[in-house]
Amino acid sequence: MDIRSKRPQRTDELLNPDRRTLLKCSAWAGAGVIWAMSGGIPRAFALDETGNVADPRALASSFHFVQISDSHIGFNKEANPEPVKTLQVAIDRVVALPQRPSLILHTGDITHLSKAEEFDTAAQLLKGLPSTVHYVPGEHDTLDEGGGKLYLERYGKGTRGNGWYSFDDHGVHFIALVNVFNFQAGHEASLGADQLAWLADDLRAVSSSTPIVVFTHIPLWTIYQPWGWGTEDGDHAIAMLRKYGSVTVLNGHIHQVIQKVEGNITFHTARGTAYPQPAPGTAPSPGPMTVAADQLRNYLGITDVRATQGDHPLALIDSTLV
Amino acid sequence: MKTRLLALLCLMLSMPVWAEEVKINIKEFMFMPVVLNVSVGTKVTWVNDDQIPHTVAETRKVFRSGALDTNDSFSWLFDKPGEFEYFCVLHPQMTGKIVVTQ
Ligand SMILES: [Cu+2]
C-alpha cells in the first residue's frame, strides 16, 4: 500500500497552488518518484514497486550522486531509539546502487548534540559510503561550546567562513552554503553578507549553461515561517541563480520531501535517516513525529540525483528505507 | 578572618531572598510562561520537556545556556532589575522575556 498517500496532509496546496496537479503526482508512488526535466518543465515519473522507472528517458543518466541528510547520531528518543541503525540501512542502500554514485552530499545534522563521540560514531559509519562525501553543517552540528568548532575541525578544511565552498564534478558546479550560524531571535536562518558576497564572486566564473547544484541544511526558500523553516536572505542567493539554465537546490532539516519548481530552479528537501517530522502546520510543533516502529523506514530515505546529457540534466529520485 | 566570617553570616542571613526560585518549562517549542515577572534576586530555572534539544540565549548575550537535551535544565540568578529577552539558538522563533523589578 502507498503509505505516503495515507498521510493526513498534502502540503502542495499550502505551498504551491499553481503546481497542485504536478505535485499531486508525487503522492502516488509508494516506492518513490523520479523528477526529470523535459523541455523546461519538470515531469514526475512514478516508480513501480520494484523501484524501477517505466520511462527510460528518466533514467538515461551519464552520472549520478546521492544526497543523505539528518542522521542525528546521538538522538535516542521514542521517534527512533537507534538512528545508528537507520543510517547504516541508508548507507547499505547507497552501496547497493547498481552504479556507484560519483559523489555524496550530506546536508547536515550529522549529529544530534555536536558531541565529539557523536561525530566519531557518524564518521565511522559514513566511512562505509562508496564515494567522497561533501558536507554542510546543520544547527545540531554547532552545539558544542565552540559553537561549531568541532564540525569545522573535521569538515571545514579548505572552506571559507563557517564552512562554505564550491567544487566542480562532471561539468556540474556544486555550491555548499551554510545557514546555521548567527541565528537571531525571531528570525529565520541566514547566510549573511560575507557568504552572499562570496557566492556572487564564485558565480562570476560560472557560465549560465553550467548546471548548478546548491546544497545547504535549512531550506533556502521559506517553507513554513512559524517553524523557522526558511532562510531570510535566501532570496538574495536565489536571485543570483535565476540566470542559470539548470539549478537544483537541495536541503535537509525538515525530515520530509517537499519540492517546488520556479523557472529553472528546482527546490527539493530530502528525508532524513533518523526520524520524521510533521508536515508544515499539521502539529503544534515541529518536534519528532513518532510513527509505528514497523512504519518508521517509510519516512526515512535518501535522494538519488541523476544527470542526463542535454539541456535539463538533473532528475531527483527519492526512495525510502523500506 | 573576622570580616570573612561576617560576610558569610550576611550571606546566610540574606539566603531566604536569594533562594526564591521560579521554573520555566520548555514544551512544544515554547517557553512557558513566555513573559515572566520576577523580583531582583530570583533564580530562574528553565527545564526542557521536549524530545528535542533547545537553548536559552539572552539576545545581548547576558546569559547563554549550552544545548539542553530532554530534562536538562539551566539556571540564572537575576541580581539586577531590567528586561531580559531571550531565544533558542536552535529554533529562533522561540522567544521569551524575563522582567526583573526591584
Ligand atoms: Cu529550540
Side-chain angles (χ1 to χ4, degrees):
Chain A
M1 272 308 287
D2 173 9
I3 181 72
R4 284 199 289 159
S5 66
K6 275 194 267 173
R7 286 166 68 177
Q9 79 298 310
R10 280 306 304 171
T11 49
D12 324 337
E13 282 79 359
L14 188 72
L15 301 164
N16 248 308
D18 51 333
R19 294 278 175 189
R20 191 174 301 176
T21 319
L22 188 64
L23 285 171
K24 275 255 169 67
C25 301
S26 68
W28 26 258
V33 157
I34 176 169
W35 286 83
M37 301 292 263
S38 160
I41 298 161
R43 288 179 58 194
F45 300 87
L47 300 183
D48 62 23
E49 293 91 75
T50 56
N52 293 314
V53 188
D55 192 331
R57 278 177 303 166
L59 278 177
S61 59
S62 52
F63 94 105
H64 75 121
F65 63 92
V66 165
Q67 177 192 9
I68 58 174
S69 199
D70 295 85
S71 324
H72 285 268
I73 297 304
F75 183 80
N76 55 11
K77 303 302 185 302
E78 200 188 358
N80 181 0
E82 293 175 304
V84 163
K85 270 196 183 162
T86 45
L87 174 57
Q88 188 59 56
V89 174
I91 291 168
D92 293 345
R93 271 300 186 102
V94 179
V95 170
L97 287 169
Q99 202 190 341
R100 194 174 69 90
S102 294
L103 56 97
I104 292 158
L105 307 178
H106 191 303
T107 43
D109 284 355
I110 305 160
T111 71
H112 194 57
L113 293 165
S114 311
K115 292 180 179 165
E117 59 268 30
E118 295 174 348
F119 278 114
D120 288 344
T121 304
Q124 199 58 38
L125 287 163
L126 293 162
K127 246 196 244 168
L129 283 167
S131 318
T132 305
V133 189
H134 302 267
Y135 294 88
V136 286
E139 75 284 1
H140 284 261
D141 300 318
T142 64
L143 290 171
D144 54 311
E145 256 176 60
K149 198 163 161 267
L150 286 184
Y151 170 87
L152 289 169
E153 274 169 12
R154 282 159 199 259
Y155 300 110
K157 286 179 197 80
T159 67
R160 310 294 190 91
N162 291 318
W164 58 79
Y165 58 97
S166 70
F167 63 95
D168 293 281
D169 189 282
H170 283 82
V172 176
H173 189 63
F174 290 84
I175 304 171
L177 298 181
V178 176
N179 55 5
V180 295
F181 285 86
N182 305 317
F183 285 107
Q184 302 295 318
H187 289 262
E188 292 182 348
S190 70
L191 297 163
D194 290 352
Q195 189 170 194
L196 286 167
W198 168 83
L199 176 64
D201 191 48
D202 181 74
L203 287 171
R204 214 156 279 154
V206 182
S207 75
S208 60
S209 60
T210 305
I212 293 180
V213 171
V214 175
F215 60 110
T216 180
H217 179 65
I218 295 177
L220 212 52
W221 45 298
T222 297
I223 290 182
Y224 193 59
Q225 201 273 335
W227 287 356
W229 285 2
T231 305
E232 208 162 54
D233 52 4
D235 51 349
H236 293 285
I238 292 162
M240 295 180 210
L241 298 164
R242 286 206 197 282
K243 69 168 182 174
Y244 291 88
S246 164
V247 180
T248 308
V249 179
L250 303 174
N251 302 116
H253 187 58
I254 66 169
H255 303 199
Q256 61 195 291
V257 172
I258 291 184
Q259 172 152 315
K260 90 166 170 171
V261 179
E262 238 183 59
N264 293 336
I265 309 180
T266 299
F267 299 84
H268 185 277
T269 67
R271 291 187 181 90
T273 67
Y275 55 84
Q277 280 177 262
T282 60
S285 81
M289 188 164 80
T290 302
V291 298
D294 63 347
Q295 295 295 314
L296 177 61
R297 288 175 191 189
N298 283 311
Y299 291 85
L300 310 177
I302 58 172
T303 301
D304 196 13
V305 187
R306 288 167 192 265
T308 45
Q309 295 299 334
D311 299 343
H312 306 288
L314 302 188
L316 300 158
I317 307 168
D318 294 298
S319 60
T320 62
L321 296 187
V322 181
Chain B
M1 190 65 206
K2 214 171 171 185
T3 16
R4 270 175 77 181
L5 202 70
L6 207 67
L8 192 69
L9 203 69
C10 282
L11 199 70
M12 280 166 75
L13 281 171
S14 61
M15 274 307 238
V17 183
W18 285 82
E20 198 176 327
E21 291 194 20
V22 183
K23 193 174 130 181
I24 292 179
N25 286 85
I26 311 177
K27 204 171 171 56
E28 294 283 16
F29 289 63
M30 276 190 292
F31 297 108
M32 302 287 280
V34 175
V35 179
L36 178 69
N37 296 293
V38 297
S39 47
V40 169
T42 304
K43 180 175 148 189
V44 176
T45 299
W46 288 261
V47 182
N48 182 14
D49 297 331
D50 271 346
Q51 284 195 27
I52 280 293
H54 296 293
T55 80
V56 176
E58 209 271 345
T59 50
R60 296 158 302 175
K61 303 195 179 177
V62 174
F63 52 86
R64 196 158 264 240
S65 79
L68 307 175
D69 201 2
T70 311
N71 298 327
D72 284 354
S73 64
F74 169 75
S75 298
W76 188 258
L77 180 68
F78 289 89
D79 55 3
K80 280 189 215 72
E83 292 200 355
F84 300 87
E85 294 185 346
Y86 64 93
F87 69 112
C88 165
V89 299
L90 277 166
H91 314 105
Q93 76 278 14
M94 294 171 59
T95 57
K97 186 159 87 171
I98 312 283
V99 181
V100 187
T101 46
Q102 218 30 276

